[in-house]
Amino acid sequence: MFTLLQAADLAAETTRMGLGELFLKGGWLMWVLLLLGGVAVFIFVERFMAIRKASTFDMNFMHRIRDYISDGKMNVAVELCKKTNSPIARMVEKGIERIGRPMADVQTAIENVANLEVSKLENGLPFLATIAGGAPMIGFLGTVLGMVQTFMDMAAAGGTVDMTLLSSGMYVAMVTTVGGLCVGIPAYFGYNYLVARIEKLIFRMEANSIAFMDILNQPVQK
């Protein structure tokens, strides 16, 4: 069995190693975790930029839409929506195209566009959530494999326990656990951050949808 002195020697050796050397000590599972970490970073950055772009919105947009509709300038209102690259503008554009039909049809058309826009914003988030939950499990798998390797080395060594002989399995057990957590924890927080941003944007889309329906319910000024 390990003694406290042997454990201290292993810890001291670990602190003297560089990150690259520790990474290699973790075995092939570390490459899987590295790949997942790279994918998680890519998804987060790409979705963050897309959500930030979608959240950029001119506060005077609905006021201008109200004025154009009140003046009967539907074509000008549609052109403004096309020039404004945002989910809210595309919702309003679809609503303007449905003017003249029953209000329920207009509302349904706006909701359909909103659902499509939200689906686009959430693209990739399920995979990010999978990485957040799966990376620590892969790290735990590495821990189990490392402990199995350690016990196999102990059995092969007979009654003599050599720390050098057992260190490879212990490194796999420890490093993969750390690697899995280092990938899973940031992915988890990143996923929840992006979800919160999307929910905030959904609330703004709903508010502007209600504002647009209020505009249609007002009498047109001649």
Side-chain angles (χ1 to χ4, degrees), residues 117-145:
E117 294 295 333
V118 172
S119 179
K120 292 178 182 179
L121 292 175
E122 292 177 343
N123 184 34
L125 291 188
F127 194 64
L128 183 60
T130 301
I131 293 176
M137 298 300 295
I138 294 176
F140 179 69
L141 174 62
T143 301
V144 174
L145 293 177

Side-chain angles (χ1 to χ4, degrees), residues 18-32:
L19 292 178
E21 197 172 353
L22 279 175
F23 178 87
L24 295 177
K25 289 286 187 179
W28 64 273
L29 284 176
M30 293 299 294
W31 293 103
V32 177

Side-chain angles (χ1 to χ4, degrees), residues 25-27 29 139 142-143 145-147 149 167-177:
K25 289 286 187 179
L29 284 176
T143 301
L145 293 177
M147 295 305 298
Q149 180 180 345
S167 61
S168 60
M170 296 299 295
Y171 276 123
V172 172
M174 292 187 299
V175 175
T176 53
T177 300

Side-chain angles (χ1 to χ4, degrees), residues 78 82 107 126 189 205 222:
V78 170
K82 292 181 178 180
Q107 182 69 36
F189 283 106
M205 292 167 64
K222 297 182 179 181

